[in-house]
């Protein structure tokens, strides 16, 4: 069986390390051999200790201290140093044949969009016969600001175009918004109705309770429907979201800074729509089914499991 790896990318704070630890836990539970590879020279804490760690080769702290670089320049220097000493990584990875690797990458977007560093790394991994799937993480809180959301979509698309590898985009931290996002109606109408219900005779208490429950069930279904409809527009980017945002601007805002970039925003959204490359898979780390669904999409993208050998039981059953 060949070797496979996930390249976990995304902006800082998007939940990459949490994604990696969740995948490690899930894979280990199912009996899959998985190893964590840390490519972030500025990383500090891990839930799981990395099997391969770039900090054994170089650290951001040392670079900033010795070369007087800032954090961004130092991070780029560290990754370039890794590429110049790629034999170190080859030797480390060479010890794990037929295993599944998860690369936890830095959160500096320039590495995926402006510099060829990550692309060169992907090319090198391919030469070592590793099947790669890029996993771009974007946190769900981006959907609270449509402009910020579309900037995240654009960065994901840029990474897809530049890296040219099988790619999955994941909307992380869905446990923070699911069931609490969308056009939810208030409870005022229910409160008014409850007051009227309280005036009913005692003989009608049971019927009133049933009516309340039916109204509650209808409201829950409506809220869930509106939530799903709204989320679908973000999981599969809808250009109308930006148009709706522009329509809410008043004349003063259109004449000011917001209007100044109106045409540019429309062009960016049109670009995203024309390419039609970006869509997101929601991930709720508290739901095993959600984690399994994301993992199955990643496995499918890099054809994991097609050459798996049948597993043999550890202990043979002896027949008397």
């Amino acid at each position: 069986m060949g070797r496979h790896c996930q390249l976990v990318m995304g902006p800082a704070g998007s939940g990459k390390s949490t994604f990696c630890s969740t995948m490690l836990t899930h894979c280990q539970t199912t009996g899959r051999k998985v190893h964590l590879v840390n490519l972030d020279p500025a990383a500090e804490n891990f839930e799981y200790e990395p099997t391969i760690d770039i900090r054994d080769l170089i650290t951001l702290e040392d670079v900033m201290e010795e070369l007087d670089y800032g954090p961004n320049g130092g991070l780029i220097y560290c990754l370039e140093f890794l590429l110049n000493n790629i034999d170190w990584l080859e030797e480390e990875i060479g010890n794990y044949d037929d295993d599944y690797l998860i690369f936890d990458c830095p959160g500096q977007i320039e590495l995926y969009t402006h510099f060829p560093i990550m692309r060169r790394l992907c090319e090198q991994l391919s030469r070592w016969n590793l099947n790669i799937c890029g996993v771009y993480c974007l946190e769900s809180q981006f959907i609270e600001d449509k402009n910020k959301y579309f900037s995240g979509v654009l960065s994901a698309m840029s990474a897809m175009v530049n890296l040219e590898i099988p790619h999955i985009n994941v909307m992380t931290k869905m446990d923070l918004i699911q069931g609490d996002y969308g056009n939810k109606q208030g409870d005022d109408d229910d409160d008014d109705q409850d007051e009227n219900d309280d005036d009913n005779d005692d003989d009608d208490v049971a019927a009133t309770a049933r009516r309340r429950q039916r109204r509650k069930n209808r409201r829950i279904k409506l809220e869930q429907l509106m939530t799903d409809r709204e989320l679908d527009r973000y999981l599969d980017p809808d250009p109308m979201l930006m148009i709706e945002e522009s329509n809410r601007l008043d004349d003063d805002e259109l004449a000011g800074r917001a209007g100044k970039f109106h045409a540019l925003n429309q062009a960016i959204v049109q670009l995203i729509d024309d390419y039609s490359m970006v869509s997101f898979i929601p991930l709720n780390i508290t739901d095993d089914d959600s984690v399994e669904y994301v993992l199955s999409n990643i496995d499918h993208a890099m054809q994991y499991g097609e050459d798996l050998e049948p597993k043999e039981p550890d202990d043979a059953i002896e027949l008397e």
Side-chain angles (χ1 to χ4, degrees):
M1 186 188 75
R3 294 184 293 180
H4 301 77
C5 68
Q6 298 181 23
L7 204 67
V8 183
M9 307 166 285
S14 59
K16 297 186 297 298
S17 295
T18 302
F19 175 90
C20 292
S21 62
T22 301
M23 284 294 159
L24 276 168
T25 301
H26 186 80
C27 290
Q28 290 175 355
T29 301
T30 58
R32 186 183 302 189
K33 292 183 179 179
V34 181
H35 301 282
L36 176 63
V37 181
N38 173 43
L39 292 184
D40 186 356
E44 295 181 354
N45 300 314
F46 289 95
E47 183 175 342
Y48 289 90
E49 191 66 24
T51 306
I52 303 173
D53 196 341
I54 190 178
R55 295 175 299 178
D56 295 335
L57 177 69
I58 188 171
T59 65
L60 178 61
E61 184 179 1
D62 291 341
V63 171
M64 293 175 62
E65 182 179 345
E66 295 179 13
L67 301 179
D68 199 25
Y69 281 179
N72 290 336
L75 189 57
I76 294 173
Y77 179 90
C78 290
L79 270 295
E80 289 179 339
F81 186 84
L82 172 65
L83 291 176
N84 293 332
N85 296 270
I86 200 65
D87 291 344
W88 173 85
L89 184 60
E90 182 179 15
E91 182 179 350
E92 294 289 327
I93 292 179
N95 297 328
Y96 301 101
D97 293 332
D98 297 339
D99 280 352
Y100 197 101
L101 305 176
I102 299 179
F103 287 77
D104 190 355
C105 300
Q108 191 173 9
I109 297 300
E110 293 91 331
L111 295 172
Y112 318 106
T113 59
H114 292 72
F115 296 96
I117 295 175
M118 298 307 294
R119 176 167 181 161
R120 289 171 56 193
L121 177 62
C122 291
E123 292 172 350
Q124 192 62 57
L125 293 174
S126 297
R127 293 191 192 101
W128 298 337
N129 296 321
L130 270 83
N131 296 318
I132 312 169
C133 180
V135 181
Y136 195 93
C137 297
L138 193 71
E139 65 170 315
S140 59
Q141 304 305 302
F142 272 49
I143 69 177
E144 295 179 356
D145 184 339
K146 293 183 175 63
N147 294 322
K148 186 177 180 181
Y149 164 76
F150 276 104
S151 70
V153 173
L154 193 62
S155 64
M157 186 177 73
S158 181
M160 296 174 72
V161 172
N162 287 327
L163 297 182
E164 295 183 340
I165 58 176
H167 196 103
I168 297 292
N169 298 301
V170 177
M171 185 73 74
T172 60
K173 305 182 183 180
M174 292 299 292
D175 51 302
L176 301 181
I177 67 168
Q178 277 193 331
D180 192 34
Y181 187 83
N183 301 322
K184 300 180 70 174
Q185 68 182 41
D187 294 331
D188 293 341
D189 294 338
D190 291 331
D191 292 339
D192 293 340
Q193 185 63 41
D194 290 343
E195 292 178 1
N196 294 331
D197 289 339
D198 291 337
D199 294 335
N200 292 336
D201 296 333
D202 293 339
D203 295 340
D204 297 331
V205 170
T208 300
R210 289 194 295 269
R211 286 197 297 271
R212 287 182 182 176
Q213 187 61 43
R214 284 196 296 268
R215 284 198 303 273
K216 182 179 180 180
N217 292 339
R218 285 197 299 268
R219 188 180 73 244
I220 292 174
K221 290 180 180 179
L222 176 61
E223 290 175 357
Q224 186 63 44
L225 180 63
M226 295 305 297
T227 300
D228 291 343
R229 285 179 180 174
E230 195 70 11
L231 284 176
D232 285 344
R233 301 181 68 189
Y234 289 92
L235 298 177
D236 190 8
D238 182 3
M240 291 300 295
L241 290 168
M242 184 63 75
I243 296 176
E244 293 170 1
E245 184 74 9
S246 300
N247 291 338
R248 281 196 284 267
L249 299 177
D250 56 32
D251 293 339
D252 292 338
E253 290 175 320
L254 286 173
R257 185 182 181 123
K260 182 178 180 180
F261 297 103
H262 174 69
L264 176 61
N265 291 338
Q266 295 294 334
I268 290 175
V269 172
Q270 188 61 48
L271 175 68
I272 294 172
D273 188 45
D274 289 343
Y275 271 80
S276 191
M277 293 174 59
V278 181
S279 61
F280 293 94
I281 300 175
L283 173 63
N284 180 350
I285 62 173
T286 64
D287 184 356
D288 288 339
D289 291 337
S290 177
V291 177
E292 177 61 31
Y293 181 70
V294 172
L295 181 60
S296 64
N297 276 272
I298 296 172
D299 290 345
H300 178 73
M302 60 181 171
Q303 299 178 326
Y304 175 81
E306 293 189 359
D307 53 354
L308 278 175
E309 296 292 337
K311 291 184 177 180
E312 297 181 359
D314 295 334
D315 300 319
I317 300 176
E318 297 182 1
L319 298 177
E320 295 181 357

